[in-house]
Amino acid sequence: MFQRSCTCRTGQDTLQFLEFTSLHITLNPCMIAPPRERGRAVVTHSDSHSLASGIEFQHSHPDLGSPRSPENQSTPIIRCLLTTGYDRSSCFSEQTVPSLTITRAVPTTALPRMITTRIQLLNRLQDQSRIGQQVQQSGNTLAEQVFIKARGTRPDSAGCTYFCYFKLKIQTKEDTQVREMEYAVAMAALAALSTCGVWGVKYEPNWDSIDSRPTPEWFDEAKFGIFIHWGVYSVPSYGSEWFWYHWKQQNEGYKEFMEQNYPPGFTYQNWGKQFTAELYDPNTWADIFLASGAKYVVITSKHHEGYALYPSNYSFSWNAKDVGPGRDLIGPLADAIRNKTKLRFGLYHSLLEWYNPLYLRDKANNWTTQTFAQQKAIPELYELVKLYRPEVIYSDGEWEAPSSYWNSTSFLAWLFNESPVRNSVAVNDRWGEETMCKHGGYRDCKDHFNPGVLQEHKWESAATLDKQSWGYRRRAVLQNYESIEAVIAYLVKAVSCNGNLLLNIGPTKEGSIPVIMEERLRQMGSWLKVNGEAIYSTRPWTYQNDSVSGDVWYTRKKNGPAVYAIFLNWPEDNVGIMGYPQLAANATITMFGYDNQLKYEPNWDSIDSRPTPEWFDEAKFGIFIHWGVYSVPSYGNEWFWYLWTQQDKGYKEFIEKNYPPGFTYQDLAKQFTAEIYDPEKWADIFSASGAKYVVITSKHHEGYALYPSKYSFSWNAKDVGAGRDLIGPLADAIRNKTKLRFGLYHSLLEWYNPLYLRDKANNWTTQTFAQQKAIPELYELVELYRPEVIYSDGEWEAPSSYWNSTSFLAWLFNESPVKDTVAVNDRWGEETMCKHGGYRDCKDHFNPGVLQDHKWESAATLEKQSWGYRRRASLKYYETIEQCITYLVKAVSCNGNLLLNIGPTKEGAIPVIMEERLRQMGSWLKVNGEAIYSTRPWTYQHENVTGDVW
């Protein structure tokens, strides 16, 4: 196969391409496509070789079949004279034009090695231009006119790709058979349609010139990006990222929040010191972003509060280097993104600053002065570009002043002409009060922009996962977050209509990405891993939304005839109906939920004879709640006090780094505040989970009681911390709002209670602690709260005789207010586990995998490393919904129940990721519950052929 060079020169730029053999090329009569059709071009040729539209040809025609010799190696030369004019009426005409022939002698057998068979038919142009596939039969020659893509790379910008489309008439001299071909052919139109900037054009500082620059091709190919809002507003994490503004405006809620939680004279700047970012790991962020399937990332360099996340020369004492983290937060993320991923890195920048005196003075002067713009805002933009080379600049805060105040066009002209990212940077349209949705780069028009119909100009929808805030918000509950289905719908609708999706997350002040947000990103990655072909590098089809099935949206393949129909909801009866696609004859379609009255004696034979209540066996699924003082440090696990006291390395270092000398575990209890604890909301979540009972820790091994116990003076939620009973309101909410059963966990032992330690030292020959503390608490709990489950724990050091377990259980089963309904487990002494008591739970995460004769329960925790809340837990430490369902199914098949644990925060919030798992369980059980609730094990538990069938 012969390959020859063809060069296209404009100014100082040179392109090198391949010249292919045996082509007869018919050029369409329009060089420059109109702005709405950028990325698609045609060129003109005339008999005189001098074209008014801007192309001049010099070419030669070696004789077909002549030997390859120096005198016959003349190369076509195309000199490119750019023009900005076009005649739309002639651009899409079908008129016949003179042609240019380039020939080389090539054996027919060599042709297959020269061609690829994918032909790009620009379906979207058919209605607009009447241009499409044309096939003509003429004697023994069959000629096919198709649109072909040309590619090239600019020598000084490696990796930049350029595209144009034109008509080719292809025929072979030795064979009348027409071959469908896609040739990489160099044409002069590339000079005008570079996706990295129009070559030879210098952008002027006016909107006509700035608006003529095409959005870089990579941005259109990407489709999906991640937005990050992070700043001082992440410290109060209340309301939204506009906290400072709303507080200053004395808006409802914000004023009360400050009065209730902060002393008089507290300023917004005081929070800068608390913006610590101690958990910030750019490499972990990069890994999450990569897993999301996003192709670019945009982080706030500075929001309207004026606080810069980098050491800006124009933001003295109000940036992340001078106050707060004490370091640059932007640079390490830019490096991690570029070194660990192939994502593009971008920056958000707010032009305005609410309370900057320079800005307020210019505003008071009705923008006739530009002190703030010239000395602060615009210099920051130059600084950011030079420091971090962002390939997206998302401007904001433009709405009060005109673009002339901001000198926006001057900055953009420099950005597009001279900056280090001039060929690849994409910008939005927020450059002045008059520019949104009109001038700049791609359009984002407004937050959550979603036109629902095809837009001629490239656009982007910036949407946030938390529906009420772009920054992190501690009070957010699951309902405030977009579901994965909603996020996918945003993406699909945007791409169908020529847009991108920029999905926002808000990290915490410590620098961690909330687990629910991480999950959404990873869920997007999972979906895109399967369906990405219908998203990335696609183009809008002739139709965007189906006329029959409104939940069907279309995209089309960029380089091929494929059309993608994306169903946002599974069709009824498993039949998808579409109105628009008209299939050719050879088209293919593919598709990428005991009641007994006896008198029991205080011995194990009698106690063990009591059947587990029927309701417990019918229930199958319960929720476990671990909540206590260990929720305050939320480090390691609920055994924090014990491991710290044992001088475990990690716990010791954690305390030394974060707390002063002399700090005690009891000091943490003051911070166990439960200020946003809402038992009714908890009850709603538990009801939605499909669970049939709830068990909460009344007291864990630390000895701290969540209720005002008479046996735990000064070490209970009424006396220290929350200042109230936390058990009773939940019991009431569960009983009043749901049909769930209410249960209590109780630890027999207390690690550091002096009475317990004394009995232990006496080898359990004394029972002071058991008789005066542990067992009286159990009687108290039953009398106060009437639990229908008692989950005993902390039994392993002392025998059941020390605890007087059988006496308590006999009373419980014979005389207590819950004698007929209460279910108990098997942890009543060092010898009882998996042998005596009530249902068996044997060990944490018990899962025998085979049928058990005795009723049992698997207590499993959603967070794999802890039963209590743990701030450092990332998504990988949480069980997936599939794993939770698997635990339930295996347990029920083998005569067990599942007790699924969650760990609320010290404030009393159920972590959103845990709430989601519970609601996901509810959704599954709503459909599949008939196979779970009130069932009995079958003859066989596990299919021996298909191992995943139970």
Side-chain angles (χ1 to χ4, degrees):
M1 177 175 70
F2 298 112
Q3 298 182 355
R4 302 281 299 223
S5 292
C6 172
T7 63
C8 173
R9 295 182 175 88
T10 61
Q12 302 301 314
D13 298 311
T14 300
L15 279 180
Q16 297 291 334
F17 297 101
L18 298 178
E19 170 198 330
F20 288 91
T21 65
S22 299
L23 302 182
H24 185 79
I25 304 177
T26 299
L27 300 170
N28 200 61
C30 182
M31 173 188 172
I32 305 296
R36 69 190 301 266
E37 299 297 343
R38 285 199 183 102
R40 186 177 298 105
V42 286
V43 297
T44 323
H45 177 60
S46 72
D47 288 335
S48 66
H49 297 178
S50 178
L51 295 99
S53 59
I55 302 296
E56 183 176 341
F57 288 173
Q58 294 180 353
H59 57 81
S60 61
H61 306 275
D63 293 335
L64 178 67
S66 59
R68 189 180 184 201
S69 59
E71 60 270 23
N72 282 329
Q73 293 185 20
S74 174
T75 300
I77 299 173
I78 305 174
R79 286 200 292 270
C80 308
L81 308 176
L82 298 179
T83 179
T84 59
Y86 65 89
D87 179 356
R88 183 171 179 81
S89 63
S90 66
C91 269
F92 301 114
S93 69
E94 303 274 355
Q95 63 184 300
T96 303
V97 295
S99 61
L100 167 65
T101 302
I102 307 172
T103 58
R104 281 280 184 259
V106 174
T108 303
T109 55
L111 283 174
R113 298 195 301 272
M114 299 169 55
I115 64 177
T116 59
T117 59
R118 293 176 301 156
I119 301 299
Q120 175 71 11
L121 300 179
L122 298 181
N123 296 326
R124 186 157 67 95
L125 282 178
Q126 291 182 5
D127 289 344
Q128 300 170 352
S129 62
R130 307 184 311 280
I131 294 179
Q133 190 178 29
Q134 301 175 13
V135 180
Q136 300 174 346
Q137 181 74 40
S138 176
N140 294 327
T141 300
L142 182 66
E144 183 175 10
Q145 296 189 57
V146 295
F147 286 98
I148 305 298
K149 179 182 67 177
R151 281 198 181 97
T153 57
R154 185 177 183 179
D156 61 351
S157 299
C160 225
T161 304
Y162 309 89
F163 303 91
C164 75
Y165 292 94
F166 53 92
K167 281 187 175 181
L168 288 185
K169 183 180 291 184
I170 306 169
Q171 66 185 51
T172 62
K173 297 296 184 180
E174 296 116 333
D175 194 336
T176 59
Q177 179 183 2
V178 172
R179 304 172 185 271
E180 291 182 333
M181 303 178 183
E182 180 186 27
Y183 287 94
V185 180
M187 298 304 297
L190 293 173
L193 294 168
S194 161
T195 60
C196 299
V198 178
W199 296 0
V201 173
K202 184 174 178 65
Y203 294 99
E204 300 297 329
N206 61 71
W207 286 122
D208 285 343
S209 181
I210 296 300
D211 291 345
S212 70
R213 179 185 184 264
T215 297
E217 185 74 9
W218 76 259
F219 186 82
D220 188 31
E221 307 276 281
K223 308 301 185 187
F224 177 42
I226 295 171
F227 211 178
I228 308 165
H229 273 67
W230 198 28
V232 173
Y233 45 84
S234 306
V235 178
S237 54
Y238 176 88
S240 77
E241 71 288 350
W242 278 52
F243 184 96
W244 193 6
Y245 179 86
H246 290 304
W247 172 26
K248 293 279 283 187
Q249 296 296 315
Q250 295 288 285
N251 287 341
E252 184 179 355
Y254 294 82
K255 177 183 177 182
E256 291 79 1
F257 177 84
M258 294 304 300
E259 291 174 348
Q260 292 173 8
N261 294 281
Y262 295 92
F266 190 93
T267 69
Y268 191 81
Q269 286 78 359
N270 291 145
W271 272 320
K273 305 170 186 176
Q274 300 177 39
F275 183 62
T276 50
E278 70 266 27
L279 302 181
Y280 174 48
D281 185 349
N283 288 318
T284 297
W285 284 25
D287 289 338
I288 294 171
F289 301 154
L290 178 63
S292 75
K295 299 301 182 183
Y296 57 105
V297 174
V298 179
I299 186 172
T300 50
S301 65
K302 182 198 76 172
H303 201 256
H304 312 322
E305 65 189 4
Y307 181 87
L309 297 191
Y310 69 104
S312 173
N313 291 324
Y314 305 97
S315 189
F316 179 71
S317 80
W318 192 230
N319 64 71
K321 183 73 167 73
D322 293 341
V323 61
R327 63 192 188 281
D328 181 8
L329 301 178
I330 298 294
L333 181 61
D335 293 340
I337 293 294
R338 291 174 174 135
N339 295 335
K340 292 178 67 79
T341 78
K342 293 183 179 180
L343 279 70
R344 309 267 183 158
F345 179 75
L347 290 172
Y348 164 108
H349 174 267
S350 173
L351 294 170
L352 69 78
E353 294 179 17
W354 286 314
Y355 303 115
N356 188 302
L358 298 179
Y359 179 73
L360 295 176
R361 188 183 310 151
D362 287 347
K363 183 177 180 180
N365 294 334
N366 199 29
W367 316 116
T368 56
T369 57
Q370 293 180 281
T371 308
F372 176 78
Q374 293 178 351
Q375 296 183 16
K376 183 73 164 63
I378 297 303
E380 284 174 338
L381 280 169
Y382 286 92
E383 178 183 55
L384 287 167
V385 173
K386 293 175 181 178
L387 282 175
Y388 304 114
R389 296 173 289 110
E391 293 185 273
V392 178
I393 294 180
Y394 190 107
S395 181
D396 196 13
E398 83 296 346
W399 58 84
E400 291 188 329
S403 61
S404 57
Y405 168 78
W406 299 113
N407 291 326
S408 299
T409 54
S410 295
F411 168 74
L412 291 171
W414 170 83
L415 184 70
F416 297 158
N417 292 327
E418 303 174 40
S419 79
V421 290
R422 62 186 178 276
N423 293 327
S424 61
V425 67
V427 302
N428 68 340
D429 56 358
R430 302 187 182 193
W431 297 98
E433 64 179 355
E434 82 282 14
T435 67
M436 182 182 280
C437 228
K438 293 181 180 178
H439 300 298
Y442 63 86
R443 307 295 190 241
D444 69 343
C445 298
K446 62 179 181 179
D447 295 346
H448 297 276
F449 180 52
N450 181 13
V453 295
L454 181 63
Q455 302 294 295
E456 296 177 356
H457 196 96
K458 185 65 188 178
W459 61 278
E460 178 183 69
S461 174
T464 181
L465 275 174
D466 178 353
K467 303 172 189 176
Q468 297 184 15
S469 177
W470 296 78
Y472 173 64
R473 193 167 59 93
R474 283 182 295 164
R475 288 180 178 242
V477 296
L478 183 61
Q479 294 93 323
N480 300 140
Y481 287 91
E482 299 286 3
S483 67
I484 185 58
E485 293 81 9
V487 176
I488 291 171
Y490 293 153
L491 175 63
V492 170
K493 292 179 182 180
V495 174
S496 294
C497 298
N498 198 32
N500 284 16
L501 174 65
L502 186 64
L503 186 63
N504 179 75
I505 63 171
T508 68
K509 68 183 181 68
E510 296 91 353
S512 64
I513 295 174
V515 177
I516 188 64
M517 296 184 180
E518 178 184 353
E519 175 164 76
R520 286 294 177 274
L521 297 183
R522 293 188 183 275
Q523 287 172 326
M524 285 294 283
S526 297
W527 188 85
L528 284 164
K529 191 173 183 180
V530 175
N531 302 285
E533 182 181 329
I535 300 296
Y536 303 126
S537 301
T538 59
R539 296 295 183 265
W541 191 44
T542 308
Y543 307 98
Q544 283 65 63
N545 190 208
D546 194 75
S547 60
V548 176
S549 299
D551 285 336
V552 178
W553 294 77
Y554 296 105
T555 62
R556 67 173 176 84
K557 193 176 183 70
K558 176 184 174 183
N559 297 319
V563 173
Y564 304 99
I566 305 171
F567 286 72
L568 297 183
N569 290 295
W570 191 260
E572 293 183 7
D573 302 322
N574 299 324
V575 178
I577 300 174
M578 295 171 283
Y580 283 132
Q582 302 297 314
L583 301 181
N586 61 345
T588 60
I589 300 176
T590 58
M591 186 178 74
F592 291 142
Y594 178 78
D595 193 2
N596 201 355
Q597 301 291 329
L598 292 172
K599 184 75 173 177
Y600 298 100
E601 301 297 325
N603 61 70
W604 287 122
D605 286 342
S606 181
I607 297 298
D608 291 344
S609 70
R610 179 184 186 263
T612 298
E614 186 73 8
W615 77 261
F616 186 83
D617 188 31
E618 306 277 303
K620 307 302 183 186
F621 175 40
I623 295 172
F624 211 1
I625 308 165
H626 273 68
W627 198 26
V629 174
Y630 46 83
S631 307
V632 177
S634 54
Y635 175 88
N637 62 36
E638 70 286 357
W639 280 52
F640 182 93
W641 191 9
Y642 178 85
L643 294 169
W644 169 27
T645 306
Q646 296 299 312
Q647 295 289 286
D648 180 274
K649 182 179 179 181
Y651 293 76
K652 178 183 177 183
E653 291 176 352
F654 176 85
I655 289 294
E656 290 174 349
K657 289 180 180 179
N658 295 282
Y659 297 94
F663 191 88
T664 69
Y665 190 79
Q666 285 77 1
D667 292 330
L668 292 171
K670 303 172 187 176
Q671 302 175 41
F672 183 64
T673 51
E675 71 264 28
I676 59 177
Y677 171 50
D678 187 338
E680 294 198 350
K681 286 185 179 179
W682 285 25
D684 288 339
I685 294 170
F686 301 156
S687 180
S689 74
K692 300 300 183 182
Y693 58 104
V694 174
V695 178
I696 186 172
T697 51
S698 65
K699 182 197 76 173
H700 200 255
H701 312 322
E702 63 191 2
Y704 180 87
L706 297 192
Y707 68 104
S709 174
K710 294 184 295 185
Y711 305 98
S712 189
F713 178 72
S714 80
W715 192 229
N716 65 71
K718 183 72 167 67
D719 293 340
V720 60
R724 62 192 187 279
D725 181 7
L726 301 177
I727 298 294
L730 181 60
D732 293 339
I734 293 293
R735 293 180 173 125
N736 296 334
K737 293 190 58 123
T738 78
K739 295 182 180 180
L740 280 71
R741 310 269 182 156
F742 179 75
L744 290 172
Y745 163 108
H746 174 267
S747 173
L748 295 171
L749 69 78
E750 295 179 16
W751 287 314
Y752 301 115
N753 189 299
L755 299 179
Y756 179 74
L757 295 175
R758 188 183 309 152
D759 287 348
K760 183 177 180 179
N762 292 334
N763 199 28
W764 317 117
T765 58
T766 56
Q767 292 179 283
T768 308
F769 175 79
Q771 292 178 353
Q772 296 183 16
K773 184 73 162 66
I775 298 302
E777 284 175 334
L778 281 168
Y779 285 91
E780 179 183 55
L781 286 167
V782 173
E783 296 286 357
L784 284 174
Y785 304 115
R786 297 173 287 110
E788 294 183 271
V789 178
I790 295 180
Y791 190 107
S792 181
D793 196 13
E795 83 296 346
W796 60 83
E797 291 188 321
S800 62
S801 57
Y802 169 77
W803 299 113
N804 291 323
S805 298
T806 55
S807 296
F808 168 74
L809 290 171
W811 170 83
L812 184 68
F813 297 160
N814 293 326
E815 303 174 38
S816 79
V818 290
K819 60 183 182 296
D820 298 326
T821 59
V822 68
V824 302
N825 67 340
D826 56 358
R827 303 187 182 193
W828 298 99
E830 63 179 352
E831 82 281 14
T832 67
M833 182 180 280
C834 227
K835 293 181 180 179
H836 301 298
Y839 62 84
R840 309 293 190 242
D841 69 343
C842 299
K843 63 179 180 179
D844 295 343
H845 297 275
F846 180 52
N847 182 10
V850 295
L851 181 63
Q852 303 294 295
D853 291 335
H854 198 95
K855 185 65 188 179
W856 61 278
E857 181 186 69
S858 174
T861 182
L862 273 174
E863 207 266 273
K864 302 172 186 177
Q865 295 193 358
S866 177
W867 296 77
Y869 174 64
R870 189 167 66 97
R871 282 183 297 162
R872 289 179 180 244
S874 60
L875 183 61
K876 67 182 179 180
Y877 294 109
Y878 286 87
E879 302 287 6
T880 66
I881 184 57
E882 291 80 9
Q883 289 166 330
C884 295
I885 292 170
T886 299
Y887 293 154
L888 175 63
V889 169
K890 291 182 178 181
V892 174
S893 294
C894 298
N895 198 31
N897 283 16
L898 173 65
L899 185 64
L900 190 60
N901 179 76
I902 63 170
T905 68
K906 69 182 180 68
E907 297 92 350
I910 295 175
V912 177
I913 186 65
M914 296 183 178
E915 180 184 355
E916 170 154 274
R917 288 294 179 273
L918 297 184
R919 292 188 183 274
Q920 288 172 328
M921 288 293 285
S923 297
W924 188 85
L925 284 164
K926 190 173 183 180
V927 176
N928 302 285
E930 184 179 340
I932 300 296
Y933 304 127
S934 303
T935 59
R936 297 293 181 271
W938 191 44
T939 309
Y940 308 99
Q941 282 65 60
H942 191 205
E943 172 61 41
N944 60 4
V945 175
T946 305
D948 285 334
V949 177
W950 291 77

